[in-house]
Amino acid sequence: QKEVEQNSGPLSVPEGAIASLNCTYSDRVSQSFFWYRQYSGKSPELIMSIYSNGDKEDGRFTAQLNKASQYVSLLIRDSQPSDSATYLCAVGGATNKLIFGTGTLLAVQP
Amino acid sequence: EPEVTQTPSHQVTQMGQEVILRCVPISNHLYFYWYRQILGQKVEFLVSFYNNEISEKSEIFDDQFSVERPDGSNFTLKIRSTKLEDSAMYFCASSKGIEAFFGQGTRLTVV
């Protein structure tokens, strides 16, 4: 059974701080990794994808991948109250299906 | 910006009834998916569809479920005889390749 694990949180950070979200996965051959943001009652919204070891930056977001440790993370710099949401880690499978973690609830305190 | 659209946004049905959830994927996308999310739980893969056939399905996607692309734009999920435990948000997604974009979802309530 392929698993994606995340701490459910809540992770509470003050406005302007860096939020660090973590994810581990069990399938060593996985090649594609994604972070989705999900506001309460809404659908997942793709915010980052990463395929190679190292860092990938997009605006205030940085995704980090370490395939040897089977670990993916998302850093959100200068966190804003509007970033408060559940962040879903997803791992891509052979037919492009996604296996999701349970998500980490992020609360940014003004 | 192109988006995946789903109808209806909310469907209430009686146990044992058939429901059809509809989706219009992004127009130049080739891969289509259905996922579901039971309240408070993780997003779960149901089925992927490519080149007019199912490419993968999960163990959740049993004989009660079917998918169809009846024309060039729509992608549907049919549940033949709904059960109480089918109550969930159902998300359609589409992708050109690896990155999948989700519709706003259909909340299915089985009573």
Side-chain angles (χ1 to χ4, degrees), chain A residues 15-110:
Chain A
E15 184 174 353
I18 295 175
S20 177
L21 304 155
N22 305 311
C23 170
T24 58
Y25 59 94
S26 63
D27 187 2
R28 185 167 287 279
V29 302
S30 298
Q31 296 294 322
S32 54
F33 307 88
F34 308 89
W35 284 99
Y36 284 81
R37 177 174 62 199
Q38 186 176 32
Y39 292 111
S40 181
K42 302 296 185 182
S43 61
E45 175 192 4
L46 179 64
I47 53 172
M48 288 289 286
S49 59
I50 187 165
Y51 309 108
S52 305
N53 280 330
D55 294 1
K56 179 181 177 183
E57 188 175 315
D58 183 1
R60 295 187 296 114
F61 299 99
T62 299
Q64 300 174 315
L65 174 61
N66 183 327
K67 290 184 181 179
S69 301
Q70 296 173 240
Y71 179 91
V72 195
S73 65
L74 179 70
L75 301 178
I76 306 174
R77 287 181 299 283
D78 187 24
S79 296
Q80 301 297 309
S82 57
D83 295 327
S84 298
T86 297
Y87 288 80
L88 309 178
C89 175
V91 176
T95 59
N96 293 342
K97 76 175 187 186
L98 297 172
I99 301 167
F100 282 88
T102 53
T104 298
L105 178 62
L106 173 66
V108 180
Q109 307 298 328

Side-chain angles (χ1 to χ4, degrees), chain B:
Chain B
E1 185 175 316
E3 59 181 20
V4 177
T5 57
Q6 291 185 244
T7 54
S9 56
H10 192 186
Q11 172 103 37
V12 181
T13 189
Q14 291 211 321
M15 194 168 51
Q17 295 297 303
E18 174 183 287
V19 294
I20 297 176
L21 309 183
R22 302 179 192 281
C23 169
V24 179
I26 295 173
S27 63
N28 61 349
H29 285 189
L30 302 175
Y31 300 86
F32 315 118
Y33 317 86
W34 284 100
Y35 292 83
R36 80 171 185 191
Q37 186 175 32
I38 295 170
L39 187 63
Q41 297 187 24
K42 66 171 72 174
V43 177
E44 300 174 289
F45 168 77
L46 293 178
V47 64
S48 57
F49 192 87
Y50 171 71
N51 201 25
N52 285 319
E53 61 183 23
I54 291 174
S55 45
E56 187 172 353
K57 58 185 180 180
S58 72
E59 57 191 28
I60 301 169
F61 194 90
D62 61 21
D63 292 344
Q64 293 299 313
F65 291 87
S66 62
V67 290
E68 195 176 38
R69 188 156 164 80
D71 53 42
S73 59
N74 290 284
F75 180 51
T76 62
L77 174 70
K78 182 192 292 186
I79 309 174
R80 265 180 267 285
S81 178
T82 50
K83 303 187 281 282
L84 294 176
E85 54 265 38
D86 294 327
S87 295
M89 280 289 283
Y90 287 81
F91 295 112
C92 175
S94 70
S95 68
K96 251 194 278 197
I98 298 175
E99 295 184 351
F101 297 89
F102 283 69
Q104 80 278 19
T106 293
R107 180 173 297 284
L108 177 65
T109 303
V110 183
V111 297

